[in-house]
Amino acid sequence: MDTGGTDRSEDDRGEGGGIRTALSGLTTRGRSFLAAGIAAAICAYVLGQSDLLRVGLLLSVLPLLCAAVLYRTRYRVAGSRRLSPGRVSAGAEARVHLRVDNVSRLPTGLLMLQDRVPYVLGPRPRFVLDRVEPGGRREVSYRVRSDLRGRYPLGPLQLRLTDPFGLCELTRSFSTYDTLTVVPRVEALPPVRLSGEARGYGEGRQRSLALAGDDDVIPRGYRHGDDLRRVHWRSTARYGELMVRREEQPQRARCTVLLDTRGLAYDGAGPDSAFEWAVSGAASVLVHMLERGFSVRLLTDTGDSVPGEGADGFTGASQGTADAAGLMMDTLAVIDHSDGTGLSRAYDVLRGGNEGLLVAFFGDLDEEQAAVAARMRQRSGGAVAFVLDGGVWAGGPAPVPGPPDGGGERLRMLREAGWTAVGVPRGAPLEDVWRLADRERSGLMAASGGEGTG
């Protein structure tokens, strides 16, 4: 995806104008010339040396003259910026393309082009542009990269004008800026058997009605072109008009990804923290389930869901996978810790209906919150929990991924409620714990004599 902005600078003197603005642009060299000229003029007056007075006047007038000429220079310059792409994963690079067009009839002098970027994206890029002919253009580019997700403004673009002697330098700023979105890292996940619905369509054997319009009821009135074999005679006799049945179609399997964002549930900060691992894990699962054809939604402990409240917050069958994924990735790019202390709001949302597969990323759970999480299992077709222990993530060497600690009280409570609960070691690859959850569930299914896919 490419994004861009265009702006124009014409005379661009909006920061005050007047002689004060011109004098503020004097460089160190220009100020030195001015000071030396004034000192020489004073010495010439005291000593009565006319030749020294002329030298002093020349040194004093030259930087003032350069400042006045540079300030009154009328450049009509258009600048544009294009991001490629406008949304990148954390740790990936984006390229920023800048273009400067001289839309006046006069050539420009030496220009220094500078773009403002946040410190986290790298150093501020600067470019020196030679004389731009009337109607000409110059194009430059630079790269930005961030290990931290977020939305970062780029701009506004600045032009620095300087005189041939380097005595004065003025900055002209454009007004527009663009935004680079850095989304969480997404890991490719292998297909595993986590629920009773292997694919987005058909496997769950759930059926829904194929709507022919927003105002349809069961059954609906006959419309021109309807197949007469679909006429519902009992309803026709009841309502006194021709009524037809609506066709049925497989319902998309659902998946809810629950992300625990409580600030008290996580320790530490930075790209390698437990919270960032949970955010990246949620993003990876969302993309994985969308690619498998599921209707998905992102739910947080605050009860907020993405993509929205319509259709119970899930992506509809007609909504493009790329658009749905982009919306949820943009949300995860800026998601932060919540001030909440419990999971009750998320539970209230989940108990409203059949949620299909539930994949949760929890931080530290005390006994009360573990009990709330255990009750969430009642409304889901399958439930997988990845629990990040703050004490494990706070320090020490990263353990080798293996079976979860069966003695953990919170994990025991979740598993007794029917969850496939996995304790996440510090820094463990998501793919490893994803496969581990599959093995844990397979063992539970074998012990109970059941089977299913997901």
Side-chain angles (χ1 to χ4, degrees), residues 124-282:
R124 180 173 295 184
R126 294 182 175 90
F127 306 92
V128 177
L129 305 181
D130 294 332
R131 175 180 176 273
V132 182
E133 65 279 4
R137 72 173 54 169
R138 297 290 185 270
E139 295 183 1
V140 294
S141 66
Y142 64 94
R143 294 178 294 181
V144 291
R145 177 181 179 274
S146 174
D147 291 326
L148 299 174
R149 58 185 175 82
R151 292 174 63 87
Y152 301 104
L154 300 178
L157 198 61
Q158 293 180 327
L159 284 177
R160 287 189 178 183
L161 312 178
T162 184
D163 65 280
F165 303 103
L167 301 179
C168 186
E169 184 178 87
L170 295 180
T171 300
R172 310 279 175 87
S173 295
F174 296 93
S175 60
T176 61
Y177 67 92
D178 296 281
T179 302
L180 175 67
T181 303
V182 180
V183 301
R185 291 184 179 91
V186 175
E187 296 186 32
L189 300 178
V192 297
R193 303 164 66 88
L194 292 178
S195 76
E197 296 163 327
R199 293 182 293 274
Y201 292 96
E203 292 296 319
R205 305 300 181 192
Q206 297 178 344
R207 311 291 290 180
S208 68
L209 296 172
L211 302 182
D214 292 338
D215 57 346
D216 283 336
V217 295
I218 302 176
R220 63 170 175 82
Y222 175 82
R223 295 175 181 174
H224 179 72
D226 285 339
D227 191 344
L228 292 178
R229 289 175 296 182
R230 294 170 51 201
V231 173
H232 192 269
W233 296 108
R234 181 177 299 178
S235 298
T236 299
R238 178 180 178 182
Y239 291 104
E241 60 177 314
L242 205 58
M243 307 293 290
V244 296
R245 296 184 300 270
R246 289 186 290 168
E247 293 180 348
E248 294 182 341
Q249 65 181 9
Q251 183 182 13
R252 294 186 94 188
R254 288 180 168 186
C255 176
T256 297
V257 177
L258 172 60
L259 177 61
D260 181 8
T261 64
R262 295 172 299 140
L264 55 80
Y266 299 94
D267 292 328
D272 298 326
S273 65
F275 182 66
E276 292 302 320
W277 191 98
V279 173
S280 178

Side-chain angles (χ1 to χ4, degrees), residues 44-199:
Y45 176 78
V46 173
L47 300 176
Q49 298 290 328
S50 58
D51 293 337
L52 182 59
L53 178 61
R54 284 190 288 268
V55 172
L57 291 176
L58 176 62
L59 293 177
S60 301
V61 171
L62 183 59
L64 298 177
L65 182 62
C66 290
V69 172
L70 187 63
Y71 178 75
R72 296 184 62 84
T73 299
R74 286 176 169 81
Y75 289 147
R76 298 180 62 212
V77 179
S80 63
R81 180 190 302 102
R82 179 170 58 89
L83 310 183
S84 178
R87 181 193 294 126
V88 296
S89 298
E93 290 185 344
R95 183 169 289 274
V96 183
H97 302 269
L98 304 177
R99 193 179 80 178
V100 175
D101 295 272
N102 183 10
V103 296
S104 69
R105 298 180 180 180
L106 299 176
T108 69
L110 190 67
L111 302 177
M112 176 180 288
L113 186 65
Q114 176 178 278
D115 206 10
R116 291 184 179 179
V117 301
Y119 175 78
V120 70
L121 296 182
R124 180 173 295 184
R126 294 182 175 90
F127 306 92
V128 177
L129 305 181
D130 294 332
R131 175 180 176 273
V132 182
E133 65 279 4
R137 72 173 54 169
R138 297 290 185 270
E139 295 183 1
V140 294
S141 66
Y142 64 94
R143 294 178 294 181
V144 291
R145 177 181 179 274
S146 174
D147 291 326
L148 299 174
R149 58 185 175 82
R151 292 174 63 87
Y152 301 104
L154 300 178
L157 198 61
Q158 293 180 327
L159 284 177
R160 287 189 178 183
L161 312 178
T162 184
D163 65 280
F165 303 103
L167 301 179
C168 186
E169 184 178 87
L170 295 180
T171 300
R172 310 279 175 87
S173 295
F174 296 93
S175 60
T176 61
Y177 67 92
D178 296 281
T179 302
L180 175 67
T181 303
V182 180
V183 301
R185 291 184 179 91
V186 175
E187 296 186 32
L189 300 178
V192 297
R193 303 164 66 88
L194 292 178
S195 76
E197 296 163 327
R199 293 182 293 274

Side-chain angles (χ1 to χ4, degrees), residues 294-359:
F294 279 69
S295 270
V296 302
R297 71 170 171 182
L298 171 67
L299 179 67
T300 68
D301 58 288
T302 62
D304 297 329
S305 63
V306 180
E309 296 301 327
D312 297 328
F314 290 89
T315 58
S318 62
Q319 185 172 359
T321 299
D323 293 340
L327 178 59
M328 287 183 283
M329 290 301 103
D330 288 346
T331 301
L332 289 175
V334 296
I335 200 166
D336 202 355
H337 292 296
S338 69
D339 297 329
T341 59
L343 303 171
S344 57
R345 292 184 180 179
Y347 171 71
D348 292 339
V349 175
L350 290 172
R351 69 178 180 179
N354 184 9
E355 303 301 321
L357 175 63
L358 175 60
V359 181

